[in-house]
Amino acid sequence: MKLAGHDAIARQADEKIATYRVKLPRRVGVPPLKQVARRLAMALAVLVLTGFLVWIDRAGYNDNSDGAVDMLDSFYYATVTLSTTGYGDITPVSDGARLTNIFVVTPLRVVFLIILVGTTLEVLTERTREEWRLNRWRSNLRDHTVVVGFGTKGRSAVETVCATGLKPEQVVVVDPSNKVIEAANALGYAGVMGDATRSDVLVRAEVQRARKIIIATQRDDTAVLVTLTARQLNRGAKIVAAVREEENAPLLRQSGADAVITSASAAGRLLGLSVLSPNAGMVMEDLIQQGSGLDLVERPVIKAEVGLKPKQVDDLVVSVVRGHRVLGYDDKAIGTLQLTDRLITIVRATQVSHVVTDSKPLPQD
């Protein structure tokens, strides 16, 4: 699949609807419908209790229409009394009925109003609380990781990054599917539902303040447009993108991606390696799964290692990162290790996660 160019991609994006919604992981609580049903049941119970109290003491009430108060009149009186309508066509005339209204019906009226008004206030309060929580989340969000596309690739990428110590509240998922965003919320990640090719959606995810951006969309042309938009909003973020076709990788790099992974080719190479050597394939699969078995870890050179050769380091050094160059462990250009170097090593995964050195924890909500 070849790309037709930036103009075609831009036209395709302009035809999409600019809808987005930010959804934060919900705290465990009673579902809203269950809360409303419970309050309605309580209000109905108060109404029924008041109606029976009036009917039991019906001899102390007077109906202006016929003088007698039956069951229907009792519940009618209870309804207009609890709702504070009070037409006055049925009135308590005996001392006992009036005392019952003072000490029983009036408190029940207050309870009834609290239930009904409380439901409305709770809805308004919940909206205000959610809006306040969203604003606080947005103001505290710094140096986070934005994941565009939460399919198999995006989910695996987040799991790998989180295995190195990244906290769930440092991850923001962007996806056009509401079900996908709900799945991300269930895992503790904040989500923005919308088309990531539009800058306003990425701004909602605070891409301009993100430290890392992972682009794992289903289509290569979408990945290119998202990369262009994200790079325009954030010049300093590390952008890693996945493409299906290897021929589209150069275009993604030109669009601003720091690293491009060709998913189809990578899977094919792993398949080929497993055919040639199943054990080698198992080792490679283990290395790319963070948190278990053997892990590939990039770390800085410590003072005790300065002046040593890569083979003399306690860890198994695979490569040395010097400046913008990645040198093999046996490259003669390395000489001895310098304090500014970084090592890519193979280590045994432990129960304690490796903390990513360039990430900062976000304030807890």
Side-chain angles (χ1 to χ4, degrees), residues 33-53:
L33 291 178
K34 191 174 182 179
Q35 292 183 13
V36 173
R38 181 185 299 173
R39 291 181 180 271
L40 289 176
M42 294 170 61
L44 183 61
V46 171
L47 178 62
V48 172
L49 176 61
T50 306
F52 274 110
L53 288 174

Side-chain angles (χ1 to χ4, degrees), residues 1-7 9-10 148 196-197 202 215-232 239 241-245 247-257 260:
M1 189 270 296
K2 294 185 177 180
L3 301 179
H6 298 309
D7 294 339
I9 298 175
V148 180
T197 60
L202 292 181
I215 300 175
T217 57
Q218 298 296 324
R219 295 170 55 92
D220 289 0
D221 53 354
T222 304
V224 171
L225 190 55
V226 172
T227 303
L228 284 169
T229 308
R231 181 55 74 196
Q232 183 180 14
I239 299 179
V243 292
R244 291 179 176 272
E245 301 297 336
E247 59 188 4
N248 294 325
L251 183 56
L252 263 170
R253 293 189 181 91
Q254 294 174 11
S255 302
V260 180

Side-chain angles (χ1 to χ4, degrees), residues 71-249:
M71 179 69 75
L72 179 60
D73 294 332
S74 299
F75 279 91
Y76 166 75
Y77 175 80
T79 303
V80 297
T81 301
L82 293 179
S83 62
T84 68
T85 305
Y87 294 115
D89 47 352
I90 300 177
T91 56
V93 293
S94 68
D95 292 341
R98 290 177 177 178
L99 288 173
T100 302
N101 270 263
I102 294 173
F103 294 107
V104 180
V105 176
T106 299
L108 288 176
R109 181 189 300 122
V110 174
V111 172
F112 186 81
L113 292 176
I114 289 175
I115 293 173
L116 295 185
V117 176
T119 302
T120 303
L121 289 178
E122 184 172 353
V123 172
L124 295 176
T125 303
E126 181 64 25
R127 290 180 180 177
T128 304
R129 186 187 301 116
E130 188 66 21
E131 188 67 25
W132 176 83
R133 186 179 175 217
L134 183 60
N135 291 334
R136 185 170 179 265
W137 166 81
R138 182 174 290 114
S139 63
N140 290 333
L141 201 59
R142 296 287 190 285
D143 298 328
H144 56 291
T145 299
V146 176
V147 181
V148 180
F150 202 61
T152 303
K153 292 181 293 186
R155 190 186 300 261
S156 299
V158 173
E159 290 175 353
T160 300
V161 175
C162 287
T164 64
L166 186 71
K167 297 180 179 179
E169 59 265 26
Q170 294 176 275
V171 177
V172 180
V173 175
V174 181
D175 197 279
S177 171
N178 184 49
K179 291 183 178 179
V180 171
I181 296 299
E182 290 179 353
N185 290 159
L187 296 173
Y189 310 133
V192 177
M193 187 184 70
D195 181 9
T197 60
R198 305 191 66 92
S199 59
D200 52 352
V201 175
L202 292 181
V203 168
R204 287 283 175 175
E206 299 296 327
V207 165
Q208 65 276 14
R209 295 190 293 188
R211 176 165 294 187
K212 299 182 181 69
I213 303 172
I214 300 174
I215 300 175
T217 57
Q218 298 296 324
R219 295 170 55 92
D220 289 0
D221 53 354
T222 304
V224 171
L225 190 55
V226 172
T227 303
L228 284 169
T229 308
R231 181 55 74 196
Q232 183 180 14
L233 293 172
N234 191 329
R235 296 293 183 182
K238 180 184 293 184
I239 299 179
V240 179
V243 292
R244 291 179 176 272
E245 301 297 336
E246 194 165 359
E247 59 188 4
N248 294 325

Side-chain angles (χ1 to χ4, degrees), residues 275-334:
V275 169
L276 297 175
S277 175
N279 294 326
M282 291 175 58
V283 172
M284 286 299 302
E285 187 174 0
D286 182 25
L287 288 175
I288 62 178
Q289 291 181 356
Q290 291 290 321
S292 63
L294 299 175
D295 282 351
L296 272 174
V297 176
E298 180 178 346
R299 65 171 180 84
V301 172
I302 61 177
K303 291 183 179 180
E305 296 170 341
V306 175
L308 299 180
K309 294 183 178 296
K311 294 182 180 180
Q312 296 174 322
V313 176
D314 293 337
D315 295 337
L316 180 59
V317 177
V318 177
S319 299
V320 176
V321 181
R322 179 168 294 172
H324 297 286
R325 296 185 301 165
V326 179
L327 306 174
Y329 73 95
D330 57 347
D331 196 320
K332 295 181 179 179
I334 296 176

